[in-house]
Amino acid sequence: MKGFTGKMAWTVGGFFASSGLRFILNIILAHLLAPEIMGVMVVVNAVRLGIDLLTDVGIEQNIIHHPDGLTKAFRDTAWTMQVLRGVFLSALFALAAPFLADAYHIDVRIFLLAACAPLLNGLHSTAVFVLVKQMEVRRRNQFELGSEGLAFIVSVALAWSLRSVWAPALALVAAAAIRPALSFLLPEARQSFRMDAEIRRRIVQFGKWIMVTSLVMYAATNLDRLYLGRAVPIALVGIYGIARAIADLPTNLARRLSYQIIFPAIVAARNGEADGVEHHMARSRLVFVAGVCCALAVGAGIGDWLIGLLYDHRYASAGWILGVLLIGGVFAVLSNLNEALLLGVGRPALSSYANAARFVTMAALLPLGLHYGGFAGAVIAIAFVELCQYAYISAGLLRMRLGYWRQDGLALVSSAIMLGGVCALRSAMGLGTSFAPIRGLLP
């Protein structure tokens, strides 16, 4: 596909710019706010994300998947469903706020404020999704960067002036309002309320497995935050959140590539709209997985140095946590890229099964890890679940006779060599390893 590499470059570049903003914001907030406040927001954001995914029928994926996804009738029906869903979720969040506040010992007003986010998120124009279907990668990334840039300014200003938990809470709602506002500046952004019964039926029919996948994926990827929020001190949750936010960067990049490049490209190829897509995608994927997975291995070997360089002494213990999570991140990157293949060939059910298995595995191993290995055991269990998820996704690919097995094998072997080399070099120089503190934490 002509320009495929360029589109991937725009996606990667946009992601790094976006992640750079969030990373810098994370550092600023960590210096301005106490670990306890960071821990509160880890829990609040995890709950908010879970609420957001309830009744998710994949509006974006539907617009991409259906041949008439760009028509006025389809887009307006999808937008109307999106708005109504936002109203329902905000009301549900507000009703659940007192119970959440009691469960996590967090001010109920924080949850009530966060309850505004689903409603605001639901107002954005489907013009954002049109950019994805048309593979207007440059314009989509420019839009996302503009939204995140404004949210960054608001977040820093609030943290600098308030220095309390209200700063990130208000910033959360502000960010949810900025994106919809900017979406109506995109081409063909105007929307009208409309509910076509046939289109609604097709959206729900295709999206039912996406809803299941979203829920089980959320449960599996956020169970750690929700469980630890009740099982360990909230300040420790804040420190864990710092490490997790960094470790999630490459995984989020893989997910963005999956939904903005791989998924729509496979759909276009199946519809006969693109020639040679598989060759270009395989070549670009090889470069990506080899580079990112090796970088993750190096990062795992020097995780303690990275944390010490960027954060003050209050967050020092995030170093070994980051090292462990980055090892799991190697498998998470490959899993996200491979999952897009299942969606692209119209088999979201297999993705749902894999994520359900991941949730069950996390639910079983996380409490066991905490019980027998303390907090260190819990973190190791979280990283191990990523390996299990890779196996679950691989089972679905084998059934469909899909996959880039040689590329994955090369990435895993290279990562192991890089990590072993970094740890050996540090030990030879008498600098220890980033995993050394784990020994003193295990019972």
Side-chain angles (χ1 to χ4, degrees):
M1 179 185 293
K2 184 178 180 180
F4 188 88
T5 302
K7 294 178 187 299
M8 179 168 281
W10 258 105
T11 301
V12 174
F15 174 83
F16 277 114
S18 171
S19 298
L21 283 176
R22 289 197 297 270
F23 189 50
I24 294 172
L25 177 62
N26 186 282
I27 295 172
I28 293 173
L29 294 181
H31 282 278
L32 294 177
L33 306 175
E36 291 80 3
I37 294 176
M38 302 295 285
V40 167
M41 293 312 299
V42 166
V43 173
V44 171
N45 278 311
V47 172
R48 176 193 59 81
L49 179 58
I51 295 292
D52 277 343
L53 291 177
L54 290 175
T55 68
D56 177 21
V57 292
I59 298 298
E60 178 175 3
Q61 292 89 337
N62 267 282
I63 289 176
I64 295 172
H65 175 76
H66 288 98
D68 60 338
L70 297 181
T71 64
K72 179 70 172 173
F74 196 102
R75 288 182 54 199
D76 282 345
T77 299
W79 182 75
T80 301
M81 293 175 66
Q82 177 181 275
V83 172
L84 293 176
R85 176 175 169 270
V87 173
F88 169 75
L89 294 180
S90 283
L92 181 64
F93 199 166
L95 289 173
F99 303 99
L100 294 168
D102 182 63
Y104 290 101
H105 307 290
I106 295 173
D107 191 332
V108 67
R109 295 173 297 174
I110 300 296
F111 284 113
L112 289 173
L113 181 60
C116 300
L119 171 61
L120 295 172
N121 283 329
L123 296 176
H124 71 77
S125 171
T126 58
V128 179
F129 306 147
V130 171
L131 296 179
V132 180
K133 185 176 180 68
Q134 296 176 336
M135 296 193 73
E136 292 283 350
V137 176
R138 178 175 62 86
R139 182 172 288 179
R140 171 65 186 267
N141 280 280
Q142 289 174 339
F143 165 75
E144 298 293 353
L145 283 175
S147 302
E148 292 171 9
L150 288 176
F152 174 88
I153 295 172
V154 172
S155 297
V156 172
L158 288 170
W160 184 268
S161 58
L162 298 180
R163 307 290 179 101
S164 72
V165 71
W166 290 106
L170 289 169
L172 169 67
V173 177
I178 289 171
R179 191 169 185 271
L182 292 183
S183 73
F184 283 92
L185 299 178
L186 293 171
E188 302 180 35
R190 186 174 179 179
Q191 303 275 188
S192 302
F193 285 103
R194 179 172 183 166
M195 188 60 72
D196 184 294
E198 174 60 21
I199 293 175
R200 180 189 62 195
R201 184 194 64 79
R202 286 193 288 139
I203 289 176
V204 174
Q205 178 67 25
F206 178 77
K208 63 183 180 181
W209 281 111
I210 293 176
M211 178 174 63
V212 174
T213 298
S214 296
L215 287 173
V216 295
M217 180 182 291
Y218 161 79
T221 56
N222 288 273
L223 180 61
D224 56 341
R225 299 172 176 91
L226 297 174
Y227 179 79
L228 294 176
R230 296 197 64 187
V232 303
I234 197 67
L236 187 56
V237 176
I239 294 170
Y240 171 79
I242 291 291
R244 183 64 190 267
I246 299 174
D248 280 346
L249 291 176
T251 304
N252 291 336
L253 172 58
R255 188 173 295 120
R256 179 175 292 195
L257 283 172
S258 297
Y259 282 98
Q260 290 192 17
I261 300 292
I262 298 176
F263 173 44
I266 292 176
V267 171
R270 291 183 68 207
N271 294 336
E273 300 170 1
D275 296 323
V277 63
E278 292 181 330
H279 171 72
H280 291 282
M281 185 169 63
R283 184 175 59 184
S284 299
R285 185 186 186 277
L286 174 61
V287 174
F288 176 78
V289 298
V292 171
C293 290
C294 287
L296 284 171
V298 174
I302 61 172
D304 54 338
W305 292 355
L306 293 174
I307 294 297
L309 178 66
L310 298 172
Y311 298 91
D312 61 49
H313 67 279
R314 296 175 299 172
Y315 298 93
S317 57
W320 69 265
I321 301 174
L322 176 60
V324 173
L325 294 180
L326 286 177
I327 294 175
V330 173
F331 296 96
V333 165
L334 297 176
S335 295
N336 276 277
L337 293 175
N338 291 341
E339 189 172 358
L341 298 177
L342 297 176
L343 292 176
V345 296
R347 298 301 299 270
L350 295 177
S351 176
S352 296
Y353 296 148
N355 282 293
R358 175 184 180 175
F359 169 71
V360 172
T361 305
M362 177 72 81
L365 295 185
L366 182 55
L368 287 174
L370 186 64
H371 178 75
Y372 290 104
F375 183 67
V379 174
I380 293 172
I382 291 167
F384 181 74
V385 168
E386 300 296 349
L387 168 60
C388 298
Q389 171 68 354
Y390 178 76
Y392 302 147
I393 292 292
S394 296
L397 293 178
L398 288 171
R399 180 175 178 179
M400 299 301 298
R401 297 183 179 180
L402 298 170
Y404 295 91
W405 305 113
R406 291 183 180 179
Q407 291 187 13
D408 289 4
L410 175 63
L412 292 172
V413 171
S414 300
S415 299
I417 294 173
M418 293 294 291
L419 177 58
V422 171
C423 291
L425 181 61
R426 286 189 56 168
S427 297
M429 297 174 64
L431 299 175
T433 69
S434 60
F435 309 106
I438 297 177
R439 296 178 183 177
L441 296 174
L442 294 173

